[in-house]
Amino acid sequence: MNLYQPYLVRIEDMIDETFDTRTVKLAFEDSSAAEKFSFKAGQFGEYSVFGHGECTFCIASPPTRKGYIEASFKAVGKVTSAMRRLNVGDTMGFRGPYGNCFPLDEMKGKNIVFIAGGIGLAPVRCVIWNTLDLRDQFKNVTIIYGARSVADLVYKRELEEWSKRSDVRLHQCVDPGGETADWKGEVCFVPTLVEKVAPSPEDAYAIVCGPPIMITYTLPQLDKLGFAPDRVYTTLENRMKCGVGKCGRCNVGPVYVCKDGPVFTAAQLKSLPPEY
Ligand code: FES
């Protein structure tokens, strides 16, 4: 099969998370492809709208749920705008899964701290559900999530569900000025919430994903709390195009984000050129 040949996937469902962010649920048209397809939490794919091109997103649904994948996206360019115009029942393309993954096997039996900002919750949500679908294999699950405003929080129905679970500790915040009269979470930035919650590094791994500025200020907080840099994971997106190590567009210094990543430890990030 041609390396760039996509699977055909049908939009089975779509949910508008915010005014500009949409989640699509994609089912494989070929039932044997649906059966065979598997991936690991943290991997990504190339999504195509025929006649418009491809765009790169993580797979936002967990590998523990078979037969479909989900992707959450903002309409920010030509392809994502075309994707935004598609409807339930329409067919598009998907190729993948690509890249490395979060080391879920290594994390088994440990405490997991998830930290996300804005739409950065998409790749983290994949790991959260993966963990919750195998709940008895992990210790404490803590989720720290924030967005610019209440309206910008994604996966609101799932945040609600997690907030009610006794086996999940969920802490939420919105930036100052982004709160509403009935907002019950904190009003601060994500790194400040990490400092307030102060998750223990004892027997723990942290997974962090969000805008670069959030990552920049969150990693030193985790450092201060005592998290070892090789137990803190994040995922990068970097101008990916081919997804398979051929086009050379995604390199950061000597590293190809599509092949060597997109998942990196904080220790690895420190060795990359300063803009990362
Ligand atoms: S996206 Fe083409 S080399 Fe990484």
Side-chain angles (χ1 to χ4, degrees), residues 71-88:
S72 298
F73 67 99
K74 275 185 204 238
V76 289
K78 182 172 141 269
V79 185
T80 42
S81 300
M83 197 165 153
R84 178 91 196 183
R85 290 193 294 273
L86 296 179
N87 289 307
V88 171

Side-chain angles (χ1 to χ4, degrees), residues 2-276:
N2 178 334
L3 188 63
Y4 298 107
Q5 169 127 21
Y7 293 106
L8 294 180
V9 288
R10 195 183 54 257
I11 302 181
E12 247 189 10
D13 198 7
M14 51 171 70
I15 293 176
D16 284 329
E17 305 289 353
T18 68
F19 74 99
D20 67 351
T21 302
R22 175 172 288 175
T23 298
V24 284
K25 181 177 184 184
L26 304 169
F28 292 84
E29 294 218 325
D30 176 348
S31 58
S32 75
E35 233 163 80
K36 277 194 228 126
F37 183 81
S38 69
F39 69 99
K40 292 201 157 77
Q43 289 193 290
F44 69 95
E46 296 291 333
Y47 302 74
S48 46
V49 183
F50 303 121
H52 294 274
E54 289 185 318
C55 45
T56 312
F57 316 112
C58 70
I59 302 172
S61 53
T64 35
R65 304 192 183 175
K66 303 275 183 209
Y68 71 90
I69 52 172
E70 286 174 328
S72 298
F73 67 99
K74 275 185 204 238
V76 289
K78 182 172 141 269
V79 185
T80 42
S81 300
M83 197 165 153
R84 178 91 196 183
R85 290 193 294 273
L86 296 179
N87 289 307
V88 171
D90 287 345
T91 297
M92 50 183 285
F94 169 82
R95 55 187 184 90
Y98 298 135
N100 66 354
C101 58
F102 292 103
L104 260 280
D105 283 337
E106 198 184 307
M107 294 176 177
K108 286 188 178 157
K110 309 280 195 251
N111 299 308
I112 319 264
V113 181
F114 296 103
I115 303 170
I119 197 175
L121 186 56
V124 177
R125 172 215 194 211
C126 165
V127 203
I128 293 175
W129 278 123
N130 195 154
T131 307
L132 296 181
D133 285 346
L134 307 170
R135 185 64 189 90
D136 55 348
Q137 299 186 20
F138 298 89
K139 279 162 78 180
N140 295 335
V141 171
T142 305
I143 303 171
I144 298 174
Y145 175 55
R148 249 190 336 225
S149 71
V150 174
D152 287 302
L153 296 162
V154 295
Y155 308 124
K156 289 190 182 70
R157 64 213 172 274
E158 294 172 26
L159 291 168
E160 175 80 25
E161 191 179 332
W162 297 335
S163 74
K164 291 187 181 136
R165 284 181 70 140
S166 57
D167 59 354
V168 174
R169 295 172 198 162
L170 173 68
H171 304 270
Q172 297 183 76
C173 67
V174 293
D175 292 358
E179 70 273 30
T180 49
D182 58 353
W183 172 244
K184 297 204 173 57
E186 302 277 345
V187 178
C188 63
F189 297 104
V190 171
T192 313
L193 186 56
V194 172
E195 193 178 15
K196 273 191 195 170
V197 173
S200 165
E202 190 78 17
D203 220 14
Y205 280 82
I207 292 183
V208 188
C209 191
I213 183 94
M214 185 210 103
I215 306 280
T216 303
Y217 287 98
T218 299
L219 295 184
Q221 291 296 352
L222 291 173
D223 220 24
K224 229 163 53 184
L225 289 166
F227 280 82
D230 60 352
R231 287 206 167 191
V232 175
Y233 284 83
T234 188
T235 173
L236 297 181
E237 267 187 22
N238 193 45
R239 304 183 299 270
M240 288 195 267
K241 191 164 167 66
C242 71
V244 289
K246 303 272 184 208
C247 72
R249 291 225 328 184
C250 68
N251 77 299
V252 182
V255 162
Y256 275 8
V257 174
C258 69
K259 292 284 262 193
D260 304 310
V263 172
F264 294 93
T265 62
Q268 289 172 314
L269 283 194
K270 279 187 190 165
S271 67
L272 295 180
E275 69 266 36
Y276 296 89

